[in-house]
């Protein structure tokens, strides 16, 4: 009967129900889009780090992010790392912003990613045209097919200039987008050094692969003792550092999280207001229930069930719209991400939001004087 | 009367308001209810009838005095314990029925059972049974808005007796009804008292109800000022006016 009463109370006033559902829907869509953008941005920022096969990252001291690591490491650090017990391989990576001169005039910026796939550290993924062998061919690079317009090219085979040399697009990836909006240009290590004017000993990062059975913590300590001017980070630490740089030092992440919080706040206030007003309208019935001997918890359950029903219906409507927005954003500069975990999290958030919203109604109903049933 | 009382109230005092606005609504009321009797509590407006009914129904607490419901003293009980006492031993009938407009007649009765934790098929069967008892076998699926005043009050009666309470308290049960429905509801309450051996107390100022009473208690200015009891062995329909009878005896 609790469900029946809650359901009937909820659907008794269709206009108020519509207002409640619109409130929840608006909140869900806003939070889904904001968090989806946040996770989409996070995924972009850490995509290369996540893809790289390394247990530890050696970076120049104070490297701020994957794109902003400088090119300060030398062969000296590599040899010191290779001499450390527990280290199996030390793979150099060159990563740096560079100027891209468009074939038709004008310029843009790209992030040069130089790594040899044969080293087993990092190589372009999601290739939709061409292979790594094509990239290794003279002047070869791989870029993402979504950046043709930005780079001023029309597809595979196009040529342009990066830094001091000519490049030719010999492979295309799909979905490797850059949060900085400077596309990644994947190429062999030596070509990257050459285009950037760096000598053949320089690297931005060293990816450390451990020998089987080696203890990552112990190896890291040993590396730190040997490498005076470098940092040794775990993959998780380097991800966090990159996220902090791009999402929080730039304020982008704060804006996204702020938007999500605003969505939660607006949703909570709207649901609280409509639940409170519904409870107030049904106060006489709740007083009758109390006079009939119902416990406080019975009445609270009716209100919470009303809130739960609103949450479930509002969530379904909100998610339907959010999924359409997510689908529409996939070709944009910042695709919105929707994962099962985020969808589940949003559901839990909606339930919590509605439960919190029910508090004002519960406080109201707790103050009911059952004696009022005799005065009507 | 040899029956064991189901409700005993002793020296009930109730003060309402505070300071200069304070009034003493009840000034030391004693009342005992026994099973099998329909008792009427009559008095003018402001005499304390409804306040006394609220206190006997464990909805209001007295300022002083003691109440025992089915052998349990209410002294010191908190709101949840009083609610427990209400759902176990008391049934209520209200002047304006207080039915849930969004629930059908059957659901209105079922909710009283649900509040007690009785649910599922047995509860549905019990709700149907009491609705049949009050003559609403064909109106169970109707919503209050589609029922007449008399039918609504009969749903309220069914709701009150569904939980098999030992005491049924009714607040002006005929006030909103026409003569025919008023008599029907009073006959129903009388039958519930006699055939189901419950104690029924009805607050009323409706003279049409006198003929159904086993006992009439008069209250004025917060005090019980008189009590009439129907002579043993006399059936309810034969009693038309206890006041006249009393005058005749005098």
């Amino acid at each position: 009967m609790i469900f029946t009463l809650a359901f009937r109370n909820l659907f008794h006033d269709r206009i108020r129900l519509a207002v409640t559902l619109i409130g929840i829907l608006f909140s869900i869509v806003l939070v889904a889009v904001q968090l989806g953008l946040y996770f989409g941005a996070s995924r972009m920022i850490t995509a290369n780090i996540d893809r790289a096969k390394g247990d530890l990252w050696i970076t120049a001291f104070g490297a701020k992010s994957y794109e902003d690591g400088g090119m300060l490491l030398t062969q000296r650090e590599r040899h010191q790392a290779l001499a450390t017990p527990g280290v199996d391989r030390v793979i150099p990576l060159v990563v740096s912003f560079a100027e891209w001169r468009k074939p038709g005039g004008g310029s843009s910026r790209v992030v040069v990613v130089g790594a040899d796939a044969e080293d087993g550290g990092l190589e372009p993924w999601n290739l939709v045209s061409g292979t790594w062998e094509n990239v290794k061919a003279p002047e070869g690079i791989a870029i993402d097919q979504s950046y043709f317009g930005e780079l001023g090219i029309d597809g595979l085979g196009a040529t342009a200039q990066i830094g001091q040399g000519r490049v030719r697009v010999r492979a295309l990836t799909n979905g490797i987008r850059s949060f900085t909006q400077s596309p990644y240009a994947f190429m062999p290590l030596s070509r990257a050094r050459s285009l950037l004017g760096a000598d053949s000993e320089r690297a931005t990062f060293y990816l450390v692969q451990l020998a089987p059975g080696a203890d990552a913590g112990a190896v890291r300590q040993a590396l730190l003792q040997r490498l005076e001017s470098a940092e040794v980070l775990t993959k998780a630490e380097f991800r966090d550092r990159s996220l902090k740089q791009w999402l929080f030092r730039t304020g982008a992440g704060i804006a996204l999280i702020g938007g999500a919080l605003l969505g939660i706040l607006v949703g909570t206030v709207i649901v609280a207001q409509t639940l409170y007003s519904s409870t107030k309208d049904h106060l006489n019935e709740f007083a009758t229930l109390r006079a009939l001997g119902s416990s406080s918890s019975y009445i609270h359950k009716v209100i919470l069930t009303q809130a739960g029903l609103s949450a479930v219906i509002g969530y379904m409507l909100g998610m339907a719209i959010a999924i359409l927005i997510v689908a529409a954003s996939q070709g944009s500069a910042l695709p919105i991400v929707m994962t099962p975990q985020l969808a589940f999290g949003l559901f839990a958030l909606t339930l919590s939001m509605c439960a919190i919203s029910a508090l004002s109604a519960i406080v109201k109903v707790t103050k009911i004087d059952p004696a009022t049933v005799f005065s009507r | 009367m040899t029956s064991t009382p189901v409700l005993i109230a002793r020296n009930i005092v109730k003060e309402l308001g505070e300071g200069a606005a304070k009034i003493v609504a009840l000034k030391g009321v004693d009342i005992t209810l026994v099973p099998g009797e329909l008792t009427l509590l009559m008095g003018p407006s402001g005499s304390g009838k409804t306040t006394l009914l609220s206190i006997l129904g464990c909805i209001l607490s007295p300022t002083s005095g003691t109440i025992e419901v089915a052998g349990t003293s209410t002294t010191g009980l908190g709101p949840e314990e009083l609610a427990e006492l209400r759902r176990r031993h008391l049934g209520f009938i209200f002047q304006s029925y207080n039915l849930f407009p969004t629930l059908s007649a059957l659901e209105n009765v079922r909710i009283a059972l649900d509040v007690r934790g009785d649910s599922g098929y047995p509860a549905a069967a019990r709700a149907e049974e009491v609705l049949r008892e009050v003559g609403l076998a064909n109106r169970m699926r109707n919503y209050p808005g589609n029922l007449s005043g008399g039918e609504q009050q009969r749903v309220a009666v069914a709701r009150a007796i569904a939980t098999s309470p030992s005491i049924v308290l009714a607040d002006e049960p005929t006030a909103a009804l026409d003569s025919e429905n008023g008599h029907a509801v009073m006959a129903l309450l009388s039958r519930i008292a006699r055939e189901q051996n419950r104690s029924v107390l009805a607050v009323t100022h409706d003279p049409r109800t006198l003929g159904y009473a086993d006992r009439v208690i008069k209250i004025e200015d917060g005090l019980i000022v008189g009590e009439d009891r129907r002579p043993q062995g006399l059936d309810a329909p034969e009693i038309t006016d206890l006041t006249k009878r009393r005058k005749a005896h005098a």
Side-chain angles (χ1 to χ4, degrees), chain B residues 86-210:
Chain B
R86 286 199 294 275
R87 66 177 172 265
R88 296 290 156 205
H89 301 292
L90 293 156
F92 291 92
I93 299 163
F94 307 103
Q95 182 178 347
S96 12
Y97 328 128
N98 290 25
L99 299 179
F100 293 79
T102 57
L103 300 181
S104 68
L106 186 67
E107 289 165 338
N108 263 287
V109 178
R110 281 190 64 182
I111 202 159
L113 293 160
D114 198 59
V115 156
R116 282 169 52 113
D118 299 338
S119 55
Y121 177 76
R126 172 66 182 154
E128 286 182 13
E129 182 189 337
V130 289
L131 280 167
R132 270 194 293 273
E133 256 179 69
V134 300
L136 291 174
N138 299 321
R139 309 288 276 163
M140 291 185 191
R141 311 287 165 191
N142 285 71
Y143 286 83
N146 298 326
L147 297 172
S148 69
E151 287 172 330
Q152 288 188 55
Q153 193 59 300
R154 278 189 279 159
V155 174
V157 172
R159 180 175 67 184
I161 61 172
T163 56
S164 304
S166 40
I167 306 155
V168 175
L169 301 176
D171 181 32
E172 304 278 7
T174 59
L177 302 177
D178 59 22
S179 174
E180 188 186 344
N181 279 309
H183 280 294
V185 166
M186 287 312 296
L188 192 57
L189 293 179
S190 173
R191 210 176 76 215
I192 287 165
R194 289 175 163 216
E195 293 175 9
Q196 298 179 4
N197 202 35
R198 302 184 203 286
S199 178
V200 180
L201 174 69
V203 163
T204 182
H205 57 256
D206 181 356
R208 293 174 301 178
T209 60
L210 281 168

Side-chain angles (χ1 to χ4, degrees), chain A residues 1-2 4-5 8-9 12 282 285-286 288-296 298 369-371 373-374 376, chain B residues 50 53-54 59 79-80 83 86-87 92 94-96 98 100-103 107 110-111 114-115 143 159 171:
Chain A
M1 288 307 295
I2 286 175
T4 306
L5 186 59
R8 302 271 175 84
N9 279 356
H12 183 59
H282 294 281
E285 290 154 42
F286 289 125
T288 302
L289 268 182
R290 197 74 175 119
L292 293 179
S294 89
S295 60
S296 304
Y298 187 94
D369 179 3
V373 292
F374 289 122
R376 285 180 288 116
Chain B
T50 301
L53 192 73
S54 302
I59 285 174
E80 294 305 316
R86 286 199 294 275
R87 66 177 172 265
F92 291 92
F94 307 103
Q95 182 178 347
S96 12
N98 290 25
F100 293 79
T102 57
L103 300 181
E107 289 165 338
R110 281 190 64 182
I111 202 159
D114 198 59
V115 156
Y143 286 83
R159 180 175 67 184
D171 181 32

